[in-house]
Amino acid sequence: MRTSAAITCLAGLSTLAAAATSSLWVDTPPTFVRPYVIGHYANAEATRVGAQIYRFYVTGPSSGGLFTLLGTNSYSSGALGVLPHIHERHHENFFCYKGRFQLWTEKTDVGVNDGRLMTAGDFGTAPINTTHTFQILDPDTEMIGVIVPGGFEDLFFAISDGNVTYPNLTPYPPQTFSDAAGAGSSSSEITALEQFDVYAQLDYTPRRDFVNGTAPANATWHDGPNTIPSVSGTPYFVASNYGPKYINGAYGIWQIVQPFVTAVTGEHDYTEGSITISAQPANATVPTWNLTNHTAFQILEGALSLTMGQETVTLASGDVAFIPGQTEFQYWSEGAFTKFHYVSAGSAGIEKALMAHAGNWSYPAFPTYLA
Ligand SMILES: *[C@@H]1O[C@H](CO)[C@@H](O)[C@H](O)[C@H]1NC(C)=O
Ligand SMILES: *[C@@H]1O[C@H](CO)[C@@H](O)[C@H](O)[C@H]1NC(C)=O
Ligand SMILES: *[C@@H]1O[C@H](CO)[C@@H](O)[C@H](O)[C@H]1NC(C)=O
Ligand SMILES: *[C@@H]1O[C@H](CO)[C@@H](O)[C@H](O)[C@H]1NC(C)=O
Ligand SMILES: *[C@@H]1O[C@H](CO)[C@@H](O)[C@H](O)[C@H]1NC(C)=O
Ligand SMILES: *[C@@H]1O[C@H](CO)[C@@H](O)[C@H](O)[C@H]1NC(C)=O
Ligand SMILES: *[C@@H]1O[C@H](CO)[C@@H](O)[C@H](O)[C@H]1NC(C)=O
Ligand SMILES: *[C@@H]1O[C@H](CO)[C@@H](O)[C@H](O)[C@H]1NC(C)=O
């Protein structure tokens, strides 16, 4: 199934050129469940809310209703990106792809009222009934969101200032909008959104007493290990490369799994995390996977080749693959160090298969010797 390096390189050179001959590359998420790959900043399903551009790489329809994977791009803002709110039926997850934003979560029944300064690779989760809000702080910031179950994108189209199409796929338009405030920025607007599972929490004031990127000041943030709770329903944060790590060397390569959401904290609806993978040696066999449930990969660093069906594609940073459950696939790194973000529906994603043959590991880098 693995084709020659020359062919895979060609396929990866240009999303646009490849799209003409590929059945996997799409520029709009399909309206039904099928294998596909979609390029970073694809225009389809791109919509503007204030100064923020939202793009939906995996939608309710494309995931059979199981999860939405979206990206939000913007310049910095002096105001909250959305008024504080909760969801009663959706679990929302925030990942910093690049730039900086602040993220706040409050859930009084578990004693959490926290803020974090999010830089590239940081993760935070807002389970059901968590008050949350964010503020974008740097030019060229990109937040990646995972919202479970799928279909939450309908909200953004409902509050949109207009769908957008940028022929050159720029992350966001370099212009100042007169309506630059973020989603649900007026209290009358946000209180009208309960049909979309958005419940405004207008009495919540985000704390501003950050020290070293965290409020309260004494929380562990980029200065020690972050653990994942052993129960569900608690908001938490995992700083980039400070969470738990597991290493698998079973296939002639190293794969380091860093979970963000476990089967428990994902309420058995989904799991999420990152996988770092070493170069594919010519003499090692690429394993074939066939997972029970739907999975999405989004490339964070390096390049990943993926075979689904008869077709091999190469994904670069920000590109997304959607792999339906019970679809055979293979993946391997095209470079020395490739890292990708995974989301799996259910509780037995790719990370579970890898962790079944993995050991605890303390570093984001591989050992110095071959697997
Ligand atoms: C979320 O809050 C609503 C309203 O208070 C409540 O009815 C519901 O049971 C809560 N859900 C969970 C999972 O706690
Ligand atoms: C924006 O795009 C979405 C998704 O394709 C669509 O449902 C919606 O009708 C569009 N909105 C406008 C104003 O065209
Ligand atoms: C903030 O970070 C500095 C540098 O690591 C450290 O000296 C200081 O104690 C930290 N402050 C708090 C409140 O953690
Ligand atoms: C952390 O700081 C909070 C106040 O922000 C304080 O109530 C709490 O006791 C401190 N915890 C520790 C372990 O120092
Ligand atoms: C692959 O080649 C390397 C040397 O380049 C060797 O150390 C390794 O054992 C080989 N692996 C297999 C599976 O043959
Ligand atoms: C994948 O595994 C399922 C069982 O979980 C099986 O029914 C299906 O045929 C397999 N698919 C392929 C393509 O091998
Ligand atoms: C996939 O996961 C969803 C939860 O997200 C679950 O309801 C469904 O039963 C799972 N499907 C399979 C085939 O295991
Ligand atoms: C890995 O670490 C965890 C937590 O420290 C521990 O419970 C577990 O036994 C360790 N597993 C292995 C295989 O060392």
Side-chain angles (χ1 to χ4, degrees), residues 251-252 281-285 370-371:
Y251 306 100
N283 64 352
T285 304
L370 293 171

Side-chain angles (χ1 to χ4, degrees), residues 207 209 215-219:
R207 60 191 301 168
D209 55 336
N218 55 8

Side-chain angles (χ1 to χ4, degrees), residues 253-256 276-281 301-304 332-339 364-367 370:
I253 51 168
W254 296 113
Q255 295 189 78
I256 300 172
T276 310
I277 177 171
S278 65
Q280 181 65 39
E301 181 176 346
L304 190 79
W332 63 94
S333 174
E334 290 295 343
F337 189 95
T338 291
K339 189 169 188 178
F366 317 122
L370 293 171

Side-chain angles (χ1 to χ4, degrees), residues 43-194:
N43 276 314
E45 313 265 352
T47 204
R48 182 176 74 81
V49 180
Q52 302 163 10
I53 304 301
Y54 286 82
R55 292 179 177 84
F56 302 96
Y57 299 104
V58 178
T59 62
S62 80
S63 69
L66 298 187
F67 60 90
T68 292
L69 174 67
L70 68 150
T72 307
N73 290 81
S74 179
Y75 48 78
S76 58
S77 170
L80 295 179
V82 61
L83 286 183
H85 62 278
I86 67 169
H87 309 299
E88 293 188 357
R89 296 185 304 281
H90 290 84
H91 190 151
E92 184 165 359
N93 303 274
F94 296 83
F95 177 79
C96 184
Y97 182 92
K98 59 180 173 177
R100 292 189 309 153
F101 60 96
Q102 277 169 325
L103 176 66
W104 289 268
T105 55
E106 185 206 38
K107 197 157 180 279
T108 48
D109 63 346
V110 293
V112 171
N113 181 15
D114 274 28
R116 292 290 185 278
L117 176 63
M118 307 283 287
T119 51
D122 293 343
F123 171 82
T125 185
I128 284 168
N129 287 349
T130 300
T131 301
H132 57 279
T133 186
F134 65 84
Q135 183 171 344
I136 293 182
L137 298 181
D138 266 354
D140 199 19
T141 290
E142 179 163 346
M143 304 193 305
I144 298 294
V146 170
I147 307 180
V148 182
F152 197 77
E153 61 273 13
D154 292 350
L155 164 78
F156 297 96
F157 293 116
I159 62 175
S160 169
D161 295 307
N163 293 345
V164 297
T165 297
Y166 305 122
N168 62 358
L169 310 182
T170 188
Y172 64 81
Q175 70 186 89
T176 302
F177 291 97
S178 55
D179 54 349
S185 55
S186 79
S187 54
S188 59
E189 182 185 39
I190 198 167
T191 50
L193 297 174
E194 296 187 356

